[in-house]
Amino acid sequence: DIALSPNGTKAYVSNGGDGTISTLAIHREPNPRLEVLATSGDVKGCSTFAIDPERDLVFAATKDPSIAVLRLDRGTPGVRRRGGGRAR
């Protein structure tokens, strides 16, 4: 899955094979490119996720099956386990 931030400056990409969500910066001008900012893990088998930008939450479906609730960390790139440290 891929999701964009509301302002279109970041992309979030699930990496189901290694259980991570990567945060990428979208640079448009003068040299359009993607830059990996962070890769946050501990979402075993994550392939589908949804972002709630109003509450800064990420809901990630896992193979357990369960739903991991993560928090968008506006101070640093990436996502964190809700109520805890960076998801790894």
XYZ file of all heavy atoms in Angstrom:
648
model
N 0.830 -1.177 0.000
C 0.000 0.000 0.000
C 0.877 1.244 0.000
O 1.977 1.239 0.535
C -0.869 0.025 1.247
C -2.320 -0.304 0.971
O -2.654 -0.620 -0.179
O -3.111 -0.246 1.907
N 0.332 2.305 -0.545
C 0.991 3.610 -0.540
C -0.053 4.641 -0.137
O -1.183 4.608 -0.618
C 1.569 3.975 -1.923
C 2.624 2.965 -2.344
C 2.133 5.386 -1.917
C 3.141 3.169 -3.749
N 0.325 5.552 0.755
C -0.555 6.648 1.149
C 0.254 7.936 1.125
O 1.449 7.931 1.413
C -1.122 6.409 2.540
N -0.409 9.034 0.779
C 0.238 10.343 0.762
C -0.205 11.161 1.960
O -1.348 11.040 2.422
C -0.126 11.102 -0.515
C 0.372 10.519 -1.820
C -0.140 11.343 -2.994
C 1.880 10.434 -1.842
N 0.680 12.008 2.449
C 0.313 12.941 3.508
C -0.675 13.952 2.922
O -0.701 14.160 1.711
C 1.552 13.651 4.056
O 2.167 14.428 3.047
N -1.504 14.569 3.767
C -2.491 15.517 3.261
C -1.901 16.655 2.421
O -2.513 17.095 1.455
C -3.151 16.069 4.525
C -2.986 14.994 5.531
C -1.646 14.367 5.210
N -0.684 17.098 2.749
C -0.069 18.189 1.978
C 0.751 17.689 0.788
O 1.328 18.478 0.067
C 0.784 19.081 2.887
C 1.970 18.357 3.483
O 2.262 17.207 3.148
N 2.660 19.030 4.385
N 0.818 16.363 0.608
C 1.494 15.793 -0.556
C 3.009 15.825 -0.522
O 3.651 15.594 -1.537
N 3.590 16.071 0.644
C 5.060 16.145 0.725
C 5.704 14.844 1.191
O 6.921 14.711 1.122
C 5.499 17.271 1.668
O 4.989 16.989 2.974
C 5.007 18.633 1.184
N 4.885 13.898 1.688
C 5.417 12.613 2.143
C 4.569 11.475 1.588
O 3.370 11.616 1.382
C 5.417 12.514 3.673
C 6.421 13.419 4.340
C 6.395 13.230 5.830
C 7.348 14.207 6.506
N 7.137 14.253 7.944
N 5.232 10.336 1.372
C 4.552 9.108 0.988
C 4.895 8.053 2.031
O 6.030 7.988 2.507
C 5.000 8.652 -0.393
N 3.913 7.240 2.375
C 4.106 6.141 3.314
C 3.890 4.858 2.531
O 2.892 4.708 1.830
C 3.111 6.248 4.469
C 3.254 7.552 5.230
C 2.495 8.659 4.883
C 4.175 7.679 6.256
C 2.633 9.862 5.555
C 4.325 8.876 6.936
C 3.552 9.967 6.571
O 3.695 11.155 7.240
N 4.835 3.915 2.636
C 4.805 2.689 1.837
C 4.953 1.492 2.764
O 5.895 1.430 3.556
C 5.951 2.683 0.801
C 5.925 1.420 -0.033
C 5.897 3.924 -0.080
N 4.015 0.534 2.651
C 4.138 -0.680 3.461
C 5.055 -1.663 2.756
O 5.054 -1.777 1.532
C 2.767 -1.313 3.703
O 2.193 -1.738 2.489
N 5.870 -2.332 3.549
C 6.806 -3.347 3.061
C 6.452 -4.652 3.772
O 7.011 -4.977 4.809
C 8.251 -2.939 3.391
C 8.554 -1.518 2.944
O 8.460 -1.201 1.780
N 8.884 -0.652 3.887
N 5.482 -5.390 3.207
C 4.954 -6.579 3.853
C 5.989 -7.646 4.146
O 5.903 -8.350 5.140
N 6.997 -7.776 3.288
C 8.003 -8.817 3.463
C 8.810 -8.686 4.736
O 9.161 -9.686 5.367
N 9.097 -7.454 5.151
C 9.907 -7.287 6.366
C 9.142 -6.590 7.491
O 9.716 -6.238 8.512
C 11.223 -6.572 6.063
C 11.050 -5.158 5.551
O 9.903 -4.711 5.382
O 12.069 -4.485 5.327
N 7.836 -6.380 7.324
C 7.016 -5.824 8.397
C 7.348 -4.399 8.754
O 7.434 -4.050 9.923
N 7.526 -3.555 7.747
C 7.876 -2.158 8.006
C 6.978 -1.219 7.209
O 6.306 -1.620 6.263
C 9.337 -1.857 7.629
O 9.516 -2.090 6.230
C 10.312 -2.709 8.421
N 6.991 0.040 7.614
C 6.372 1.119 6.855
C 7.462 2.165 6.649
O 8.062 2.643 7.615
C 5.165 1.730 7.584
C 4.063 0.678 7.740
C 4.643 2.950 6.829
C 2.860 1.147 8.537
N 7.719 2.504 5.390
C 8.740 3.501 5.067
C 8.092 4.856 4.833
O 7.000 4.947 4.270
C 9.513 3.102 3.812
O 10.250 1.930 4.039
N 8.777 5.902 5.278
C 8.347 7.271 5.036
C 9.314 7.887 4.036
O 10.528 7.853 4.240
C 8.372 8.095 6.342
O 7.564 7.449 7.313
C 7.881 9.510 6.111
N 8.751 8.412 2.952
C 9.567 9.018 1.906
C 9.174 10.479 1.712
O 7.985 10.819 1.759
C 9.367 8.294 0.567
C 9.892 6.869 0.501
C 8.874 5.895 1.042
C 10.239 6.510 -0.909
N 10.163 11.336 1.523
C 9.908 12.729 1.182
C 9.735 12.811 -0.330
O 10.468 12.171 -1.081
C 11.071 13.617 1.617
N 8.769 13.602 -0.755
C 8.534 13.826 -2.178
C 9.092 15.192 -2.528
O 8.561 16.217 -2.085
C 7.030 13.747 -2.510
C 6.471 12.375 -2.115
C 6.799 14.054 -3.988
C 4.965 12.280 -2.204
N 10.181 15.203 -3.260
C 10.796 16.451 -3.711
C 10.335 16.697 -5.147
O 10.520 15.846 -6.011
C 12.324 16.349 -3.672
C 12.873 16.085 -2.308
N 12.962 17.061 -1.342
C 13.342 14.944 -1.740
C 13.481 16.537 -0.236
N 13.707 15.260 -0.459
N 9.760 17.854 -5.395
C 9.206 18.138 -6.718
C 10.113 19.021 -7.572
O 10.280 18.763 -8.738
C 7.827 18.769 -6.570
C 6.855 17.846 -5.854
C 5.476 18.449 -5.748
N 4.619 17.683 -4.869
C 4.012 16.561 -5.179
N 4.171 16.052 -6.364
N 3.244 15.952 -4.306
N 10.664 20.036 -7.011
C 11.487 20.967 -7.773
C 12.774 21.262 -7.010
O 12.750 21.286 -5.792
C 10.730 22.289 -8.010
C 9.454 22.147 -8.801
C 9.668 21.732 -10.248
O 10.755 21.989 -10.789
O 8.753 21.144 -10.829
N 13.865 21.509 -7.623
C 14.099 21.520 -9.064
C 14.412 20.132 -9.626
O 14.382 19.935 -10.824
C 15.295 22.446 -9.224
C 16.081 22.249 -7.970
C 15.039 21.985 -6.891
N 14.723 19.159 -8.749
C 15.046 17.803 -9.202
C 14.054 16.820 -8.585
O 14.267 16.356 -7.469
C 16.473 17.412 -8.781
C 17.516 18.340 -9.348
O 17.481 18.647 -10.526
N 18.422 18.813 -8.508
N 12.973 16.475 -9.294
C 11.983 15.554 -8.734
C 12.619 14.224 -8.325
O 13.381 13.624 -9.082
C 10.998 15.354 -9.882
C 11.180 16.545 -10.755
C 12.628 16.908 -10.639
N 12.337 13.806 -7.076
C 12.881 12.543 -6.579
C 12.174 12.157 -5.292
O 11.475 12.956 -4.696
C 14.386 12.663 -6.339
C 14.763 13.577 -5.192
C 16.262 13.837 -5.103
N 16.637 14.562 -3.919
C 16.444 15.842 -3.695
N 15.838 16.581 -4.592
N 16.841 16.416 -2.579
N 12.377 10.914 -4.872
C 11.916 10.423 -3.581
C 13.127 10.222 -2.686
O 14.175 9.769 -3.148
C 11.179 9.094 -3.730
C 9.873 9.132 -4.511
C 9.341 7.723 -4.709
C 8.846 9.989 -3.803
N 12.988 10.542 -1.406
C 14.070 10.359 -0.443
C 13.529 9.575 0.753
O 12.532 9.979 1.359
C 14.580 11.721 0.030
C 15.589 11.655 1.139
C 15.894 13.025 1.727
O 15.286 14.032 1.339
O 16.754 13.063 2.610
N 14.167 8.457 1.086
C 13.745 7.675 2.246
C 14.146 8.428 3.509
O 15.317 8.726 3.714
C 14.374 6.262 2.238
C 13.971 5.497 3.497
C 13.964 5.497 0.990
N 13.148 8.740 4.340
C 13.403 9.457 5.585
C 13.522 8.519 6.770
O 14.323 8.736 7.667
C 12.267 10.454 5.856
C 12.069 11.558 4.834
C 10.848 12.393 5.192
C 13.311 12.436 4.742
N 12.675 7.483 6.786
C 12.673 6.553 7.919
C 11.985 5.272 7.499
O 11.152 5.258 6.601
C 11.943 7.162 9.109
N 12.357 4.191 8.171
C 11.665 2.915 8.020
C 11.344 2.419 9.419
O 12.243 2.212 10.226
C 12.525 1.893 7.249
O 12.788 2.419 5.946
C 11.804 0.570 7.114
N 10.059 2.300 9.699
C 9.591 1.892 11.014
C 9.022 0.497 10.926
O 8.256 0.192 10.021
C 8.515 2.856 11.508
O 9.013 4.176 11.488
N 9.392 -0.353 11.853
C 8.980 -1.746 11.782
C 8.013 -2.155 12.852
O 7.258 -1.343 13.372
N 8.048 -3.442 13.176
C 7.202 -4.033 14.192
C 5.737 -4.069 13.777
O 4.845 -3.933 14.590
C 7.362 -3.316 15.532
C 6.887 -4.162 16.699
O 6.770 -5.390 16.529
O 6.617 -3.590 17.763
N 5.502 -4.198 12.489
C 4.148 -4.394 11.975
C 4.178 -5.636 11.089
O 3.999 -5.587 9.886
C 3.608 -3.151 11.243
C 3.128 -2.118 12.223
C 4.633 -2.546 10.308
N 4.433 -6.766 11.731
C 4.644 -8.051 11.071
C 3.585 -8.335 10.000
O 2.394 -8.376 10.291
C 4.624 -9.164 12.121
C 4.892 -10.533 11.576
C 4.880 -11.543 12.689
C 5.097 -12.938 12.160
N 5.042 -13.922 13.228
N 4.051 -8.500 8.788
C 3.163 -8.842 7.693
C 2.268 -7.716 7.229
O 1.264 -7.950 6.573
N 2.609 -6.494 7.545
C 1.788 -5.351 7.140
C 1.808 -5.195 5.621
O 2.868 -5.135 5.007
C 2.310 -4.074 7.788
S 1.534 -2.584 7.154
N 0.629 -5.150 5.043
C 0.556 -4.856 3.617
C -0.494 -3.800 3.349
O -0.422 -3.077 2.370
C 0.251 -6.125 2.810
O -0.979 -6.662 3.215
N -1.468 -3.687 4.228
C -2.536 -2.707 4.078
C -2.566 -1.815 5.301
O -2.462 -2.294 6.427
C -3.892 -3.420 3.926
O -3.835 -4.275 2.791
C -5.021 -2.438 3.755
N -2.705 -0.512 5.078
C -2.796 0.410 6.198
C -3.618 1.624 5.796
O -3.828 1.877 4.612
C -1.408 0.832 6.696
C -0.614 1.647 5.712
C -0.598 3.027 5.794
C 0.117 1.032 4.711
C 0.132 3.779 4.882
C 0.852 1.768 3.802
C 0.852 3.151 3.897
N -4.088 2.341 6.785
C -4.855 3.566 6.559
C -4.337 4.628 7.510
O -3.939 4.326 8.633
C -6.332 3.323 6.798
N -4.353 5.869 7.052
C -3.877 6.994 7.857
C -5.054 7.887 8.221
O -5.872 8.226 7.366
C -2.807 7.801 7.100
C -1.574 6.929 6.880
C -2.448 9.076 7.848
C -0.488 7.597 6.068
N -5.127 8.250 9.504
C -6.095 9.226 9.988
C -5.310 10.496 10.292
O -4.746 10.642 11.372
C -6.789 8.694 11.246
C -7.785 9.679 11.840
O -7.803 10.864 11.435
O -8.549 9.265 12.724
N -5.206 11.424 9.325
C -4.364 12.606 9.513
C -4.873 13.559 10.587
O -4.085 14.284 11.184
C -4.361 13.275 8.144
C -5.598 12.793 7.465
C -5.868 11.420 8.024
N -6.167 13.558 10.872
C -6.703 14.454 11.894
C -6.257 14.052 13.288
O -6.082 14.893 14.164
C -8.226 14.498 11.820
C -8.721 15.220 10.580
C -10.232 15.317 10.545
O -10.887 15.155 11.603
O -10.759 15.562 9.451
N -6.068 12.740 13.503
C -5.641 12.254 14.819
C -4.203 11.742 14.804
O -3.720 11.206 15.789
C -6.582 11.163 15.313
C -8.000 11.698 15.527
C -8.905 10.721 16.207
N -9.104 9.545 15.381
C -9.571 8.398 15.832
N -9.879 8.249 17.096
N -9.743 7.374 15.031
N -3.513 11.891 13.656
C -2.123 11.446 13.507
C -1.954 9.962 13.819
O -1.001 9.557 14.478
C -1.166 12.268 14.375
C -1.003 13.689 13.866
O -1.268 13.938 12.676
O -0.599 14.553 14.657
N -2.891 9.127 13.350
C -2.825 7.694 13.600
C -2.676 6.917 12.300
O -3.131 7.357 11.242
C -4.093 7.212 14.312
C -4.329 7.766 15.715
C -5.671 7.272 16.253
C -3.206 7.391 16.652
N -2.016 5.766 12.409
C -1.881 4.822 11.300
C -2.432 3.491 11.796
O -2.030 3.006 12.854
C -0.409 4.647 10.870
C -0.290 3.616 9.767
C 0.183 5.979 10.439
N -3.359 2.916 11.039
C -3.925 1.610 11.359
C -3.381 0.626 10.343
O -3.644 0.767 9.151
C -5.456 1.658 11.298
C -6.053 2.660 12.253
C -6.357 3.937 11.832
C -6.291 2.315 13.570
C -6.901 4.871 12.702
C -6.835 3.236 14.458
C -7.144 4.514 14.016
N -2.605 -0.354 10.794
C -1.947 -1.298 9.889
C -2.467 -2.712 10.143
O -2.410 -3.210 11.270
C -0.438 -1.259 10.099
N -2.979 -3.350 9.088
C -3.428 -4.734 9.186
C -2.202 -5.636 9.155
O -1.279 -5.430 8.373
C -4.354 -5.075 8.026
N -2.185 -6.633 10.037
C -1.059 -7.562 10.100
C -1.550 -8.984 9.818
O -2.750 -9.241 9.801
C -0.369 -7.526 11.477
O -1.272 -8.035 12.448
C 0.063 -6.114 11.843
N -0.610 -9.894 9.642
C -0.954 -11.280 9.341
C -1.363 -12.073 10.577
O -1.704 -13.237 10.467
C 0.214 -11.971 8.633
C 0.408 -11.481 7.228
C 1.489 -12.253 6.513
C 1.654 -11.744 5.108
N 2.705 -12.435 4.390
N -1.321 -11.475 11.748
C -1.612 -12.203 12.997
C -2.982 -12.871 13.041
O -3.042 -13.934 13.634
C -1.462 -11.274 14.193
C -0.003 -10.903 14.427
O 0.882 -11.500 13.806
O 0.235 -10.010 15.242
N -4.090 -12.486 12.658
C -4.494 -11.184 12.129
C -4.830 -10.221 13.269
O -5.462 -10.593 14.246
C -5.736 -11.495 11.308
C -6.347 -12.660 11.999
C -5.197 -13.444 12.601
N -4.417 -9.001 13.107
C -4.734 -7.950 14.065
C -4.538 -6.599 13.381
O -4.098 -6.533 12.237
C -3.853 -8.055 15.312
O -2.512 -7.770 14.983
N -4.859 -5.554 14.106
C -4.660 -4.191 13.627
C -3.665 -3.520 14.570
O -3.917 -3.408 15.767
C -5.969 -3.378 13.625
C -7.048 -4.054 12.783
C -5.709 -1.949 13.153
C -6.802 -4.053 11.313
N -2.523 -3.099 14.037
C -1.541 -2.347 14.825
C -1.899 -0.869 14.713
O -2.173 -0.374 13.621
C -0.133 -2.590 14.302
N -1.918 -0.186 15.852
C -2.209 1.250 15.858
C -0.892 1.975 16.108
O -0.243 1.779 17.130
C -3.249 1.623 16.930
C -3.532 3.122 16.896
C -4.531 0.830 16.722
N -0.504 2.788 15.147
C 0.744 3.546 15.208
C 0.409 5.032 15.193
O -0.682 5.435 14.804
C 1.626 3.191 14.014
C 1.876 1.697 13.797
C 2.335 1.445 12.383
C 2.873 1.193 14.793
N 1.368 5.838 15.593
C 1.172 7.286 15.595
C 2.131 7.927 14.600
O 3.320 7.602 14.585
C 1.428 7.842 16.994
C 1.246 9.347 17.088
C 1.211 9.856 18.504
N 0.138 9.307 19.308
C -1.140 9.712 19.233
N -1.491 10.631 18.382
N -2.049 9.179 20.025
N 1.599 8.848 13.781
C 2.476 9.654 12.933
C 3.268 10.564 13.849
O 2.703 11.198 14.738
C 1.661 10.522 11.970
C 0.982 9.833 10.817
C 0.139 10.845 10.038
C 1.981 9.179 9.900
N 4.554 10.611 13.673
C 5.404 11.452 14.499
C 5.754 12.685 13.689
O 6.609 12.636 12.815
C 6.658 10.679 14.904
C 7.491 11.423 15.912
O 7.263 12.644 16.103
O 8.363 10.798 16.518
N 5.080 13.775 13.947
C 5.291 15.004 13.166
C 6.656 15.637 13.451
O 7.171 16.371 12.640
C 4.187 16.017 13.459
C 2.809 15.487 13.173
C 2.395 15.731 11.788
N 1.044 15.203 11.588
C 0.487 15.114 10.428
N 1.135 15.518 9.369
N -0.718 14.636 10.297
N 7.245 15.339 14.632
C 8.535 15.918 14.985
C 9.705 15.253 14.275
O 10.741 15.862 14.055
N 9.538 13.983 13.929
C 10.571 13.248 13.208
C 9.881 12.459 12.103
O 8.678 12.220 12.180
C 11.317 12.261 14.134
O 10.381 11.296 14.627
C 11.987 12.970 15.288
N 10.603 12.044 11.093
C 9.952 11.264 10.047
C 9.584 9.879 10.552
O 10.244 9.327 11.425
C 11.005 11.190 8.943
C 12.300 11.487 9.585
C 11.996 12.317 10.809
N 8.521 9.330 10.029
C 8.161 7.965 10.358
C 6.961 7.862 11.266
O 6.257 8.834 11.521
N 6.748 6.639 11.744
C 5.630 6.351 12.636
C 6.157 5.708 13.906
O 7.242 5.158 13.933
C 4.591 5.419 11.954
C 3.977 6.090 10.747
C 5.221 4.093 11.556
N 5.383 5.820 14.980
C 5.752 5.232 16.262
C 4.604 4.373 16.768
O 3.454 4.641 16.471
C 6.021 6.325 17.306
C 7.234 7.153 17.035
C 7.427 8.163 18.175
N 8.584 8.982 17.955
C 9.803 8.676 18.377
N 10.003 7.565 19.038
N 10.825 9.457 18.140
N 4.963 3.369 17.567
C 3.936 2.593 18.259
C 3.160 3.556 19.129
O 3.737 4.408 19.798
C 4.562 1.518 19.152
C 4.883 0.280 18.410
C 3.639 -0.550 18.234
N 3.980 -1.767 17.538
C 3.106 -2.550 16.971
N 1.833 -2.259 17.029
N 3.478 -3.613 16.360
N 1.866 3.421 19.146
C 1.043 4.308 19.955
C 1.350 4.098 21.418
O 1.350 2.973 21.911
C -0.423 4.020 19.686
C -1.322 5.037 20.305
C -2.706 4.891 19.802
N -3.521 5.894 20.474
C -4.784 5.757 20.688
N -5.412 4.698 20.267
N -5.442 6.701 21.301
N 1.676 5.181 22.126
C 1.963 5.097 23.545
C 3.348 4.573 23.877
O 3.650 4.287 25.008
N 4.217 4.443 22.876
C 5.537 3.892 23.149
C 6.600 4.469 22.249
O 6.404 5.512 21.644
N 7.706 3.767 22.144
C 8.830 4.214 21.340
C 8.610 3.965 19.852
O 7.567 3.478 19.445
N 9.599 4.309 19.089
C 9.516 4.131 17.638
C 9.248 2.675 17.309
O 9.832 1.778 17.880
C 10.823 4.581 16.978
C 10.832 4.367 15.471
C 12.027 4.989 14.796
N 12.022 6.415 14.897
C 11.271 7.226 14.164
N 10.421 6.741 13.311
N 11.353 8.529 14.312
N 8.323 2.464 16.387
C 8.028 1.100 15.948
C 9.231 0.571 15.225
O 9.801 1.215 14.361
C 6.801 1.109 15.031
N 9.678 -0.627 15.599
C 10.857 -1.236 14.957
C 10.559 -2.634 14.544
O 9.939 -3.368 15.172
C 12.027 -1.248 15.915
C 12.462 0.144 16.210
C 13.587 0.143 17.178
N 13.760 1.510 17.579
C 14.881 2.004 17.964
N 15.934 1.277 18.011
N 14.976 3.242 18.316
